[in-house]
Amino acid sequence: TFLAITQMEGIQPRNELEITKRDLERLQVLGPFINLFETECADPAIMRILSIMERKKLLLPRPPSLRNMPLKLNYRSIMKIAQEASETASMERMAQVTGTLDLAAKEVGRPPPGRIVKWDEWLREYSRLVNVHPNLFYSQQEVITADTVRARQAQGAQTMALTQPAVDAAQTLSQTQIGNGKSALQAILGT
């Protein structure tokens, strides 16, 4: 069952959806074993190894604040990472459907349903599941700051775009002579 794709009968290669579904099915079967292995085997073995290393002074001494505190081990095995990464298939499918629905809604003049999704959080969770380091992302505060700067720049550009025709008109009026040595702009301003 672990070489399900390699040993598939029929036409090769199968479509990506079928391959993804087979991977998910295999990981669902392995899920209970992975959890049991981590809690019943790996956790105690790693804690024992750390205790032995600490007793034999193979580790740096703990800081004073942690000397009498029991250690809590927190790790993610390769199988757990693969299991979490398989969760991304449903996220990817949801994003595809959302994109399709947004386009359909635009065609009929309806609000896009994708507006209900917190896309920044979606991307952070997706990245966590595929094991992308969180330091590669801006913090929420940095994003807010950048968005604010971008909005101000866009507003400034819009203001410039709106005032440019008035500047052009004033320049044209100042260069248009209407007699008596006056320009059209001077006549309008009464000077």
Side-chain angles (χ1 to χ4, degrees):
T1 61
F2 287 101
L3 299 174
I5 296 169
T6 307
Q7 297 174 352
M8 273 194 293
E9 294 179 18
I11 301 168
Q12 296 286 337
R14 297 287 179 118
N15 66 40
E16 187 177 333
L17 178 62
E18 183 175 343
I19 292 171
T20 302
K21 293 291 184 186
R22 286 178 183 252
D23 285 343
L24 291 174
E25 181 181 51
R26 194 167 36 256
L27 284 170
Q28 280 180 331
V29 171
L30 282 174
F33 168 77
I34 293 168
N35 291 334
L36 186 64
F37 174 78
E38 287 179 356
T39 57
E40 300 295 323
C41 278
D43 288 353
I46 292 171
M47 290 305 292
R48 178 146 169 72
I49 291 167
L50 283 175
S51 295
I52 292 169
M53 290 178 73
E54 197 168 37
R55 273 195 317 271
K56 295 196 178 243
K57 306 218 184 300
L58 296 173
L59 299 175
L60 293 173
R62 292 188 199 184
S65 61
L66 296 178
R67 288 229 168 95
N68 296 323
M69 300 286 290
L71 288 179
K72 182 180 183 314
L73 187 62
N74 192 5
Y75 70 95
R76 290 171 56 200
S77 68
I78 297 295
M79 287 301 288
K80 192 69 158 180
I81 291 170
Q83 197 176 25
E84 289 175 349
S86 71
E87 294 175 28
T88 62
S90 59
M91 293 179 74
E92 290 171 1
R93 183 74 182 125
M94 187 273 306
Q96 288 175 343
V97 169
T98 303
T100 302
L101 291 174
D102 280 355
L103 288 174
K106 184 178 180 182
E107 289 291 321
V108 295
R110 303 282 305 215
R115 74 190 186 288
I116 67 169
V117 179
K118 296 178 179 178
W119 288 108
D120 290 355
E121 286 82 2
W122 185 95
L123 182 59
R124 288 181 196 281
E125 178 62 12
Y126 183 90
S127 300
R128 184 191 68 78
L129 290 171
V130 295
N131 211 28
V132 174
H133 200 281
N135 288 351
L136 298 175
F137 294 94
Y138 290 113
S139 70
Q140 288 181 336
Q141 187 55 49
E142 289 172 320
V143 171
I144 290 169
T145 301
D147 287 348
T148 303
V149 168
R150 197 175 305 110
R152 284 184 187 148
Q153 289 172 343
Q155 187 178 18
Q158 184 180 15
T159 302
M160 287 298 292
L162 292 174
T163 58
Q164 191 59 46
V167 170
D168 292 343
Q171 183 179 10
T172 301
L173 288 172
S174 70
Q175 294 171 347
T176 304
Q177 297 298 318
I178 58 169
N180 301 335
K182 287 187 171 187
S183 68
L185 183 59
Q186 289 172 326
I188 289 172
L189 296 175
T191 57

